[in-house]
Amino acid sequence: MEQESERTSGEAANQRTDTGSVTAPVDGAAADSSAHLHSQIRAARSEIESQVAHARAEFEVANERIKARTGRNLILAIVIALAIGGVLLGSLLFFKSLFVIFALAASILGTIELSRAMNGSGHRVDVAPQLVAGSVLILTGYFFDSWMLWIAVFIAVATVIVWRLVAQMMARDGRDYSDVLSDALVSGFVQLYAPFLASICVVLVRQEHGEWWVLGFVCVVVAADTGAYAAGLTFGKHPMAPLISPKKTWEGFTGAVIAAVGIAMLISIFMLGLPWWFGFIFGLVILATATFGDLGESMIKRDLGIKDMSSWLPGHGGILDRLDSVLPSTAAALGLYYLFYPLAVL
């Protein structure tokens, strides 16, 4: 019995020894495999970080080249433009009444920009009455009949001019008559430029299917601006108006014509329910007013000695630097609506 017990104990010990001799290599292999896996993960992560850093460096170099050639941060400008376009599109297609808030914000910011620019050049413009009068114009354009807008704009312009004259009388600082007259005219111009033209756009959007007309003429303006920018950057050699805007070329204007008319024809057929030939007229008219507005704002900035109205929109400048082509086009779009909407098949 003792021999059998010793034999059993020896076999158990041998089994433990054998098990230990087998388990040890298995644990070592698992550790080696885990270490190898971690090493591969670290190598892959290092490679990805290297690729990302290389791509970022190339992007920054390309962006600097574009900025040096165009004079602005094009990538950031595109991002901001897409964000503004998304808000505009949403207000027009889904919450039409919210477009009033969009127009009111654009009018207020544009009025502040223009007033500050005028004050910075030596003119005197009273910002507070400008904002109140401009807001009244926007709300009148949406909530009252169209003919009421003409009465409102007359009152608004008269109010800001009289306010400036009274303020000058109270100041008694010996300002010259010509300067006082210039201040009065500038005050009226500020009211007509941003709030009044924005209110016309509000009048258009409240019309039957007016949101599609607003979206249509804005798309034509954007297409013209994009076509002019691309063609001018690629082929531009002959200045269009060197004394007003040296960077604008006839090649860029040609690109604007092609883009504006092409997009307008598509908009006419598929968005406004009008024949293709109306798109040709629509494109040319909006292009003409957009070009006039662009050159007009360039003249104002050149006269004031500034490059941009403000720096509120990185890559763009100011609010009015983006709306310079849109604002004058509102009156043309409303006129075309009254003339041709009866022909529409919607």
Side-chain angles (χ1 to χ4, degrees):
M1 292 294 293
E2 292 179 358
Q3 293 178 352
E4 291 179 358
S5 175
E6 291 176 357
R7 188 183 303 113
T8 303
S9 299
E11 291 177 355
N14 291 335
Q15 288 178 359
R16 287 194 298 270
T17 303
D18 293 341
T19 303
S21 63
V22 173
T23 303
V26 170
D27 292 341
D32 292 341
S33 177
S34 177
H36 180 67
L37 179 61
H38 285 299
S39 176
Q40 287 182 329
I41 292 175
R42 285 195 298 268
R45 185 173 61 184
S46 177
E47 179 66 21
I48 292 174
E49 291 176 350
S50 176
Q51 293 293 335
V52 170
H54 180 67
R56 182 183 299 170
E58 289 186 343
F59 172 80
E60 290 177 354
V61 171
N63 192 34
E64 287 299 323
R65 290 177 179 175
I66 294 173
K67 187 176 181 179
R69 187 170 183 180
T70 61
R72 60 177 176 169
N73 191 331
L74 186 60
I75 306 299
L76 183 60
I78 292 174
V79 172
I80 292 177
L82 290 176
I84 295 175
V87 174
L88 174 64
L89 190 64
S91 66
L92 286 174
L93 299 185
F94 303 106
F95 305 100
K96 185 175 177 179
S97 59
L98 292 181
F99 181 77
V100 181
I101 300 177
F102 185 89
L104 188 60
S107 172
I108 290 174
L109 294 176
T111 301
I112 293 175
E113 277 187 352
L114 190 55
S115 298
R116 290 175 61 183
M118 293 295 181
N119 287 329
S121 66
H123 295 287
R124 294 185 181 179
V125 178
D126 305 290
V127 180
Q130 291 282 351
L131 295 179
V132 173
S135 300
V136 170
L137 282 182
I138 299 295
L139 297 177
T140 300
Y142 189 78
F143 291 105
F144 296 92
D145 293 336
S146 300
W147 63 270
M148 287 289 294
L149 180 61
W150 299 105
I151 299 176
V153 71
F154 175 80
I155 296 175
V157 171
T159 298
V160 296
I161 290 177
V162 171
W163 189 290
R164 174 85 298 270
L165 294 176
V166 172
Q168 182 58 47
M169 291 174 59
M170 295 177 63
R172 298 182 181 276
D173 55 0
R175 194 168 175 81
D176 293 339
Y177 171 80
S178 59
D179 292 333
V180 175
L181 178 60
S182 177
D183 293 341
L185 294 177
V186 166
S187 297
F189 171 75
V190 170
Q191 198 61 209
L192 291 173
Y193 185 66
F196 174 60
L197 292 177
S199 68
I200 291 180
C201 191
V202 172
V203 171
L204 177 57
V205 81
R206 63 180 289 216
Q207 306 299 318
E208 185 179 8
H209 299 293
E211 65 273 19
W212 296 105
W213 283 74
V214 171
L215 182 59
F217 92 78
V218 170
C219 287
V220 173
V221 171
V222 172
D225 186 50
T226 304
Y229 183 79
L233 190 64
T234 306
F235 308 107
K237 293 181 180 179
H238 303 88
M240 182 179 177
L243 297 179
I244 300 175
S245 184
K247 292 185 178 181
K248 291 179 175 57
T249 62
W250 284 108
E251 291 81 3
F253 181 72
T254 302
V257 172
I258 295 173
V261 172
I263 292 296
M265 287 183 177
L266 295 176
I267 290 173
S268 177
I269 297 171
F270 297 106
M271 186 183 296
L272 305 182
L274 288 165
W276 66 268
W277 53 263
F278 170 75
F280 186 80
I281 298 173
F282 190 51
L284 290 181
V285 171
I286 298 300
L287 173 64
T289 55
T291 304
F292 171 77
D294 193 5
L295 293 176
E297 201 223 12
S298 297
M299 290 180 63
I300 295 173
K301 291 189 294 185
R302 181 170 288 272
D303 183 64
L304 297 177
I306 58 177
K307 180 182 178 182
D308 296 319
M309 283 295 180
S310 73
S311 57
W312 290 349
L313 298 177
H316 293 275
I319 301 295
L320 292 180
D321 293 315
R322 290 299 88 204
L323 296 180
D324 56 353
S325 299
V326 174
L327 288 174
S329 300
T330 57
L334 182 62
L336 291 172
Y337 175 87
Y338 285 142
L339 288 174
F340 291 96
Y341 180 72
L343 300 178
V345 179
L346 298 174

